Amino acid sequence: MSKVTVPQWKPLDEMHPVDYYETATKNCTSNFTEDEIRKIRAYYYGMCAEVDGMVGELMEQLDSSGFSNSTYVVFTSDHGDLAMEHRQFYKMSMYEGSSHVPLVITSPTHKHNNKVKQPVSLVDIFPTLMDMAGIPTPPGLNGSSLLPYLGMSSTNHERPDWVLSQYHGCNVNLSTYMLRMGDWKYIAFGNGKQVPPHLFNLAESSDELYDYAVDRLDIVSMMDTKLKTVINYPLVSQQVEMYNKQSFLEWKNSLGDKYSDTIANLRWFMDFQKDVKGNELKIQEWLDAQT
């Protein structure tokens, strides 16, 4: 257990407002001992080791059954786990622990241990599978085939020099957009004006504790402009917020006089119950604000 590292955290009063919201809604603003943090991380590493063992058993079965010479294997995940990095666990974040997922591909003709430094996306999986099956990809399909990285030909390998990710689900109080270009990682929130963005250089600060958003306004401007050419994120955020308010009001009205007790006992209850009336007031202010 002593070999398990304890990640560095920013003080709560120095956290980005979206990061603080995520921490609070994951019940992580309380004090944790180093032993508790190590145990949480050790459980995560244990699950990774278990999956690794299962994949190994699968590969052994492919070899023993004679199918390894005619089978493609793609191993990936829809998300990672922060494992107490940035004072959070779980997912729902653009930090590397959550958004950077494994991707391993083997083909009958390519089983070498080659590493690809170019960032790729999960939307590349579908066109890659179509390429494997020899099926033409339809026009306008997001993503590009990854087979050329295996030394194989492809008709769909025109890829941009960026990777996009977006998230509009629970545990964030604003729609979140991430654009990755080389070592630079830009994260915008909402319409881009409510709160500051993040800008990280993963080559210089792999733990994403140093934010370059103030120091490198030139990179911020360049990447924000690029992001808006990829997706009109201010408009998308507005549409998401309208949907969220409508859905929340329908849920709230359906509860009637049970609303206060219900919302104070959801999975964020530990931090919410520190100031139930104050938090209810903040929710009402959000509902009343013009979108």
Side-chain angles (χ1 to χ4, degrees):
M1 188 71 71
S2 61
K3 294 181 179 180
V4 177
T5 59
V6 176
Q8 183 180 351
W9 292 346
K10 288 184 177 180
L12 287 171
D13 58 359
E14 294 181 12
M15 292 178 69
H16 187 282
V18 174
D19 294 342
Y20 181 86
Y21 180 87
E22 287 191 86
T23 294
T25 55
K26 293 176 180 178
N27 294 320
C28 289
T29 63
S30 302
N31 294 323
F32 291 84
T33 66
E34 287 195 0
D35 183 60
E36 288 173 328
I37 297 171
R38 286 195 171 94
K39 284 181 178 179
I40 293 171
R41 291 170 66 79
Y43 295 149
Y44 172 65
Y45 295 146
M47 289 187 285
C48 291
E50 182 179 23
V51 170
D52 186 66
M54 292 177 178
V55 173
E57 291 179 4
L58 173 64
M59 300 303 290
E60 289 175 358
Q61 287 298 314
L62 283 175
D63 285 336
S64 62
S65 61
F67 286 110
S68 60
N69 292 325
S70 60
T71 303
Y72 288 94
V73 177
V74 180
F75 174 79
T76 189
S77 172
D78 59 334
H79 62 83
D81 193 298
L82 285 161
M84 298 313 290
E85 296 172 11
H86 302 279
R87 205 182 186 115
Q88 296 182 43
F89 65 96
Y90 214 22
K91 47 183 180 177
M92 299 112 168
S93 170
M94 293 300 174
Y95 282 120
E96 289 292 279
S98 171
S99 64
H100 190 166
V101 299
L103 177 57
V104 181
I105 301 177
T106 69
S107 77
T109 59
H110 187 98
K111 300 179 182 179
H112 303 293
N113 186 23
N114 293 340
K115 293 184 178 180
V116 177
K117 295 183 179 181
Q118 168 71 29
V120 298
S121 171
L122 290 178
V123 298
D124 296 325
I125 300 296
F126 182 48
T128 301
L129 295 177
M130 296 186 74
D131 246 3
M132 290 174 177
I135 302 173
T137 54
L141 182 68
N142 288 329
S144 304
S145 174
L146 301 173
L147 287 194
Y149 291 126
L150 300 179
M152 304 173 67
S153 61
S154 170
T155 58
N156 180 27
H157 188 56
E158 293 185 9
R159 70 168 43 259
D161 61 351
W162 48 264
V163 169
L164 169 72
S165 183
Q166 55 181 310
Y167 181 68
H168 310 277
C170 63
N171 291 97
V172 293
N173 52 356
L174 290 170
S175 292
T176 306
Y177 307 85
M178 183 268 285
L179 188 71
R180 174 78 186 274
M181 297 179 68
D183 292 328
W184 289 108
K185 181 176 179 180
Y186 177 68
I187 305 173
F189 303 96
N191 63 16
K193 297 179 180 179
Q194 296 110 314
V195 297
H198 279 316
L199 179 66
F200 301 112
N201 187 298
L202 299 180
E204 298 179 10
S205 180
S206 60
D207 55 10
E208 298 173 290
L209 290 175
Y210 189 84
D211 194 336
Y212 290 81
V214 175
D215 299 344
R216 296 302 305 270
L217 295 178
D218 57 327
I219 302 296
V220 168
S221 177
M222 180 272 291
M223 297 195 73
D224 190 70
T225 299
K226 183 64 178 180
L227 178 59
K228 288 176 179 174
T229 66
V230 177
I231 180 173
N232 185 350
Y233 76 85
L235 176 61
V236 173
S237 296
Q238 183 183 42
Q239 294 170 338
V240 170
E241 186 170 5
M242 291 175 62
Y243 170 82
N244 286 344
K245 287 185 177 182
Q246 179 183 353
S247 300
F248 187 89
L249 278 172
E250 291 176 359
W251 174 77
K252 179 184 178 184
N253 293 336
S254 71
L255 292 172
D257 58 7
K258 297 180 181 178
Y259 165 72
S260 292
D261 182 64
T262 300
I263 199 167
N265 288 281
L266 299 177
R267 67 181 182 188
W268 56 21
F269 71 96
M270 291 181 64
D271 278 281
F272 195 92
Q273 290 182 7
K274 292 177 181 178
D275 184 10
V276 174
K277 293 301 180 182
N279 286 322
E280 280 196 43
L281 179 60
K282 291 177 182 178
I283 292 173
Q284 192 59 48
E285 290 174 350
W286 169 70
L287 290 171
D288 294 340
Q290 184 176 0
T291 301

